[in-house]
């Protein structure tokens, strides 16, 4: 890896006596890791046995590789994530029942961490401005088993109009110059220039300004980047503190190998030591910066803040009586204890929406909560997302698959069984992993695993 001369010069000056060790670390191999999913029913033993060791500052984190075609990964029992990045979710530390916003969420590593800490209770809005990346975010949340998550694809400036002073916690994992990921993703070096961090900082400040309009009084804002650049790190936190006097930095409890923020790289404010820097020559992970702040008193309520969003990108449609009847027939036989928040339709797709209807009107919403299924002529077909968000003990009708049968299932094959069971829909389970739905006719399970996911 060839670092730009200007980058080397900059960090030799900033790092001083540490510079050689710091630059040497960037030439070493990066670390891989994964998190286990506490929303699932047990331990993903097969994957964890292959892990080298636990990540000390993340209870669910491990060093090691994930097989993307393993049962653990395909059913959302593990999520591949760089070890340093895992610490961001620990700092946010959302609680069950809270309203949480992940403002720059794709591809979803930190988002899945947040919804797990919330125990699928409350509301998580995961936003990604770029639609293709938002689609990947939605897919990752589906595999993880997220129930109370809404995925939007909006600019922060548009989102702020819909959610004034609404969220208890907001994570801004800001798009940045990516210096901390150079050894993991060397292609990022091509986009770097001496001016690039300042350009990123300007964009980050606009995102933060929108975030502040959506944060409740007393709410928590966590700002993180994967860059070493002071312009995007300490200097942006100084900008926040100077422009929002009610904001206060909260000390972050640092694990071994984590560094205080550097006040001398900004305006000298000693409060900046409450932020945290993760350097690759001190910690087994990539470069990160994290700050945690709490909001103070509310702004004056006489400001004209609650303008209606007149854009019409989505409209709310409720299922009709026949559709509700078909849905109730399904839950009576398979999930008799399921209690939806509110049922809404996007076309022929049924979702369980976990927030107020008016909050998604006018927004570009990719996933308005948990995808329950599809209405077809005179029938209801349950969605894979619902299966992955369920536990075996929650279903009345379960068929246990062997490993060989699971391989047949993800390949899209019909599965034959020996047991005498009533015809109908069943939750399919392999080694305690919910894998999807199948419809039993006689002794044949019709395969409804999505064609685009088969392998």
């Amino acid at each position: 890896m060839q670092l730009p001369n200007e980058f080397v010069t900059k960090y030799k000056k900033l790092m001083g006596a540490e510079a050689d060790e710091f630059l040497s670390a960037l030439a070493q191999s990066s670390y891989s890791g994964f998190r286990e999913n506490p929303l699932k029913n047990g331990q993903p033993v097969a994957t964890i046995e292959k892990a080298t060791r636990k990540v000390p500052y993340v209870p669910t984190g491990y060093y090691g590789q994930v097989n993307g075609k393993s049962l653990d990964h395909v059913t959302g029992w593990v999520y591949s994530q760089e070890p340093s990045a895992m610490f961001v979710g620990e700092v946010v530390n959302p609680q069950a029942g809270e309203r949480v916003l992940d403002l720059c969420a794709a591809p979803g590593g930190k988002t899945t961490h947040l919804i797990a800490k919330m125990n699928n209770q409350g509301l998580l809005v995961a936003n990604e401005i770029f639609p293709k990346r938002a689609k990947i975010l939605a897919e990752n949340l589906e595999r993880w088993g997220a129930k109370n998550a809404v995925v939007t694809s909006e600019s922060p400036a548009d989102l702020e109009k819909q959610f004034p002073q609404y969220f208890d916690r907001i994570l801004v994992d800001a798009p940045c110059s990516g210096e901390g990921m150079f050894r993991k993703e060397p292609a990022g070096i091509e986009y770097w220039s001496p001016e690039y961090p300042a350009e990123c900082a300007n964009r980050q400040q606009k995102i933060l300004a929108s975030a502040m309009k959506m944060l409740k009084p007393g709410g928590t804002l966590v700002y993180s980047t994967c860059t070493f650049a002071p312009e995007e790190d300490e200097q942006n936190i100084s900008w926040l503190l100077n422009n929002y006097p009610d904001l206060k930095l909260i000390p972050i409890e640092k694990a071994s190998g984590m560094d205080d923020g550097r006040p001398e790289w900004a305006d000298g404010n000693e409060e900046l030591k409450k932020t945290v820097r993760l350097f690759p020559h001190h910690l087994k992970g990539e470069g990160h910066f994290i700050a945690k702040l709490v909001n103070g008193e509310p702004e004056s309520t006489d400001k004209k803040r609650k303008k209606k969003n007149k854009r019409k990108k989505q409209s709310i449609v409720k299922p009709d009586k026949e559709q509700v009847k078909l849905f109730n027939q399904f839950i009576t036989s398979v999930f008799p204890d399921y209690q939806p928040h509110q049922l809404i339709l996007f076309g022929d797709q049924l979702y369980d929406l976990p927030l107020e209807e008016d909050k998604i009107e006018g927004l570009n919403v990719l996933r308005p909560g948990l995808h329950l299924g599809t209405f077809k002529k005179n029938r209801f077909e349950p969605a894979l997302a619902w299966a992955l968000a369920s536990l075996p003990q929650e279903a009345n009708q379960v068929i246990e698959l062997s490993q060989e049968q699971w391989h047949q299932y993800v390949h899209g094959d019909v599965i034959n069984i020996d047991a005498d069971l009533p015809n109908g829909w069943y939750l399919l389970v392999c080694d305690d992993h919910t894998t999807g739905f199948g419809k039993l006719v006689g002794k044949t399970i019709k395969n409804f695993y999505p064609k685009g996911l088969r392998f």
Side-chain angles (χ1 to χ4, degrees):
M1 179 177 66
Q2 183 63 45
L3 294 169
N5 290 332
E6 297 95 333
F7 178 90
V8 173
T9 300
K10 175 180 180 178
Y11 284 98
K12 280 189 173 181
K13 181 178 179 180
L14 285 171
M15 301 294 291
E18 289 184 84
D20 288 343
E21 187 183 3
F22 166 73
L23 294 169
S24 177
L26 295 183
Q28 298 170 9
S29 298
S30 61
Y31 288 87
S32 298
F34 65 88
R35 286 180 295 103
E36 61 179 319
N37 189 346
L39 300 177
K40 300 294 184 176
N41 192 30
Q43 296 291 325
V45 176
T47 301
I48 287 180
E49 283 180 346
K50 297 177 182 177
T52 55
R53 63 184 182 88
K54 283 187 65 66
V55 175
Y57 45 86
V58 182
T60 56
Y62 294 82
Y63 291 99
Q65 296 279 353
V66 167
N67 179 353
K69 293 185 178 180
S70 67
L71 177 64
D72 286 341
H73 181 265
V74 171
T75 58
W77 281 46
V78 295
Y79 190 103
S80 180
Q81 189 177 27
E82 189 276 314
S84 290
M86 298 179 190
F87 189 56
V88 177
E90 294 297 315
V91 173
V92 179
N93 194 29
Q95 303 299 301
E98 290 183 333
R99 294 172 175 174
V100 180
L101 171 64
D102 189 350
L103 190 51
C104 314
K110 298 175 179 70
T111 320
T112 55
H113 198 166
L114 300 183
I115 197 67
K117 280 188 160 293
M118 296 166 70
N119 197 29
N120 256 334
Q121 298 174 38
L123 169 68
L124 175 61
V125 175
N127 182 70
E128 172 56 47
I129 190 172
F130 298 107
K132 287 184 178 179
R133 285 172 54 81
K135 184 175 183 293
I136 295 170
L137 167 66
E139 291 169 351
N140 284 331
L141 279 168
E142 175 177 303
R143 186 172 64 251
W144 190 250
K147 292 180 180 178
N148 289 16
V150 173
V151 177
T152 60
S153 182
E154 291 287 349
S155 71
D158 283 334
L159 209 63
E160 72 182 46
K161 302 169 187 175
Q162 205 79 345
F163 296 102
Q165 294 188 351
Y166 186 82
F167 293 102
D168 299 292
R169 295 177 198 253
I170 297 178
L171 169 62
V172 177
D173 183 45
C176 67
S177 58
E179 295 174 357
M181 292 292 169
F182 278 176
R183 69 178 184 180
K184 184 177 177 66
E185 300 171 3
I189 297 172
E190 299 175 15
Y191 302 98
W192 190 89
S193 70
E195 298 76 29
Y196 191 36
E199 294 171 9
C200 292
N202 182 58
R203 180 170 63 244
Q204 291 153 358
Q205 288 175 11
K206 292 177 181 177
I207 295 171
L208 286 167
S210 291
M212 287 302 300
K213 293 178 181 177
M214 292 184 277
L215 188 64
K216 278 183 178 180
T220 299
L221 171 67
V222 173
Y223 174 76
S224 65
T225 73
C226 56
T227 187
F228 305 115
E231 301 94 322
E232 303 173 68
D233 295 343
E234 287 91 350
Q235 291 175 29
N236 263 347
I237 301 305
S238 290
W239 175 86
L240 268 176
L241 295 174
N242 291 332
N243 283 275
Y244 299 91
D246 292 327
L247 272 181
K248 305 295 181 187
L249 275 168
I250 301 174
I252 297 172
E253 185 176 349
K254 301 173 178 71
S256 176
M258 296 182 183
D259 290 80
D260 293 345
R262 308 281 179 104
E264 66 273 19
W265 290 359
D267 58 4
N269 185 350
E270 289 296 307
E271 286 287 293
L272 294 173
K273 289 183 178 179
K274 294 177 179 177
T275 66
V276 62
R277 277 187 169 272
L278 279 60
F279 285 117
H281 62 300
H282 290 163
L283 193 81
K284 291 184 177 181
E286 308 314 297
H288 264 72
F289 172 87
I290 311 169
K292 188 172 187 178
L293 307 100
V294 64
N295 197 17
E297 295 300 316
E299 294 185 14
S300 174
T301 55
D302 61 1
K303 293 186 178 181
K304 296 179 180 180
R305 301 172 53 89
K306 297 186 179 180
K307 294 181 179 179
K308 289 290 183 180
N309 191 337
K310 296 181 179 180
R311 297 172 303 133
K312 290 294 180 184
K313 294 183 182 178
Q314 302 285 1
S315 57
I316 303 300
V317 178
K318 299 291 185 70
D320 61 30
K321 289 183 180 179
E322 183 59 29
Q323 290 169 326
V324 171
K325 180 181 176 181
L326 290 171
F327 176 73
N328 285 337
Q329 288 173 350
F330 175 84
I331 62 173
T332 297
S333 61
V334 183
F335 289 123
D337 296 327
Y338 187 77
Q339 297 290 331
H341 300 88
Q342 50 190 327
L343 300 176
I344 66 167
L345 284 173
F346 273 15
D348 57 1
Q349 307 298 308
L350 183 67
Y351 286 85
D352 185 356
L353 179 68
L355 83 165
E356 306 96 316
E357 293 175 14
D358 65 315
K359 290 299 182 183
I360 67 169
E361 288 184 341
L363 292 180
N364 186 16
V365 180
L366 278 73
R367 186 185 192 270
L370 178 61
H371 186 199
L372 297 175
T374 306
F375 287 110
K376 298 192 175 180
K377 187 175 181 179
N378 299 322
R379 69 184 192 276
F380 172 76
E381 293 183 0
L384 174 64
W386 195 1
L388 296 178
S390 303
L391 299 177
Q393 62 267 27
E394 294 172 345
N396 258 7
Q397 299 190 162
V398 174
I399 292 178
E400 298 280 348
L401 301 181
S402 66
Q403 284 277 348
E404 181 180 352
Q405 288 173 322
W406 177 73
H407 285 291
Q408 292 175 329
Y409 177 68
V410 295
H411 192 255
D413 302 333
V414 169
I415 301 171
N416 296 312
I417 64 171
D418 296 325
D420 291 317
L421 296 170
N423 289 343
W425 286 101
Y426 285 81
L427 183 68
L428 305 181
V429 177
C430 180
D431 292 344
D432 286 331
H433 297 55
T434 53
T435 64
F437 291 106
K439 192 170 187 180
L440 184 66
V441 179
K443 293 194 174 185
T444 299
I445 302 173
K446 291 187 175 181
N447 195 326
F448 286 83
Y449 196 67
K451 291 182 180 180
L453 298 178
R454 294 176 182 178
F455 62 92

